[in-house]
Amino acid sequence: QVQLVESGGGLVQAGESLRLSCAASGRSFSSYSMGWFRQAPGKERELAAGISWSGGTTYYAGSVKGRFTISRDNAKNTVYLQMNSLKPEDTAIYYCAASRYAGRAWLRPNEYDYWGQGTQVTVSS
């Protein structure tokens, strides 16, 4: 069992930055690929960024590429999402997730085994 707890969300203005953190506890963190999903009201949950167990492979959705950076620190059992140049359309609940498909960075939602409770990110114009 893996427990995931997100933090770092909040209200910012367009153009500003936020860094989300997801702390994992339980079974070996480095055995899992990690992803940051987001879900805006009325929209489907989408994978914003993903990272393989080693950090050697990453994935970014086109809408965030060049602005967001996913990273992980296996010694601290934590995955991060640095979000720069935020836009109002980035407003969503952000969830971190862990998948046993450790070598992959892009995965479908049903391929993730554990989910956090989510953290709200609101970007005002």
Side-chain angles (χ1 to χ4, degrees), residues 20-86:
L20 305 183
S21 299
C22 173
S25 60
R27 298 183 65 180
S28 179
F29 176 72
S30 61
S31 299
Y32 294 90
S33 172
M34 299 297 296
W36 282 101
F37 283 80
R38 64 184 186 179
Q39 188 167 22
K43 294 189 177 181
E44 291 188 357
R45 190 173 295 192
E46 67 165 347
L47 178 64
I51 189 167
S52 62
W53 72 274
S54 66
T57 303
T58 57
Y59 164 83
Y60 295 97
S63 56
V64 309
K65 194 173 294 184
R67 300 187 298 121
F68 289 12
T69 302
I70 188 170
S71 61
R72 64 189 296 161
D73 185 336
N74 288 342
K76 294 183 178 180
N77 288 357
T78 303
V79 62
Y80 305 97
L81 186 66
Q82 178 67 43
M83 305 186 294
N84 298 330
S85 302
L86 282 161

